[in-house]
Amino acid sequence: MHEMSLMSEIIKIVSEDARLHGFSKVDSIVVIVGDLSNVLPDALELAFFHFRKQGLGMLDENTEFEIIREVAKAKCQTCLFEFTPDYRMALCPKCMLPNCLLVSGETFRVESYEGSDEL
């Protein structure tokens, strides 16, 4: 489950940035996870709860975590049909040609976090 290492890195990066901005704790973290990002949102959330319980970085028992799901979308470069692909490489369901461009769904990033000076 690589989500444990991903979440560990997220907490590390957010905590370092929060320290630079003078925060003493992280109140919330928001992450965007695309449907084709190879990240399992449930496993990522489980990893967050595990690390929150341990007090990793600047987390405490009240730190919140939100996952924004990014739907996968593709567009055929031949017939311009837009659709939801099951995989990164997809045939257009309209013209059946493999000339599709993935428009969204691969994102995995920290969208934002909130911190405070209160302990």
Side-chain angles (χ1 to χ4, degrees):
M1 180 163 82
H2 74 286
E3 285 78 6
M4 291 293 282
S5 61
L6 292 173
M7 182 51 67
S8 175
E9 284 300 309
I10 288 170
I11 293 169
K12 178 183 171 188
I13 290 167
V14 167
S15 294
E16 287 174 3
D17 192 67
R19 276 188 199 92
L20 289 174
H21 286 90
F23 296 123
S24 57
K25 71 176 194 146
V26 172
D27 298 317
S28 67
I29 300 173
V30 179
V31 176
I32 297 177
V33 177
D35 288 343
L36 300 177
S37 67
N38 291 324
V39 176
L40 300 173
D42 291 342
L44 192 66
E45 188 172 46
L46 183 65
F48 170 78
F49 289 128
H50 171 76
F51 290 129
R52 182 177 76 175
K53 186 175 181 179
Q54 290 183 343
L56 185 66
M58 296 177 73
L59 304 185
D60 68 15
E61 68 276 354
N62 297 315
T63 304
E64 297 177 2
F65 182 63
E66 179 184 355
I67 296 174
I68 299 172
R69 300 285 300 265
E70 181 184 70
V71 177
K73 293 180 188 173
K75 184 174 185 177
C76 178
Q77 300 300 291
T78 303
C79 71
L80 304 179
F81 183 69
E82 292 187 19
F83 62 99
T84 302
D86 293 333
Y87 304 99
R88 285 189 174 111
M89 300 293 292
L91 289 175
C92 174
K94 187 173 180 184
C95 70
M96 300 308 289
L97 293 174
N99 192 17
C100 299
L101 176 67
L102 195 59
V103 178
S104 66
E106 290 184 299
T107 303
F108 177 65
R109 73 169 185 261
V110 175
E111 177 69 4
S112 64
Y113 76 88
E114 292 182 12
S116 65
D117 296 334
E118 303 168 14
L119 289 176

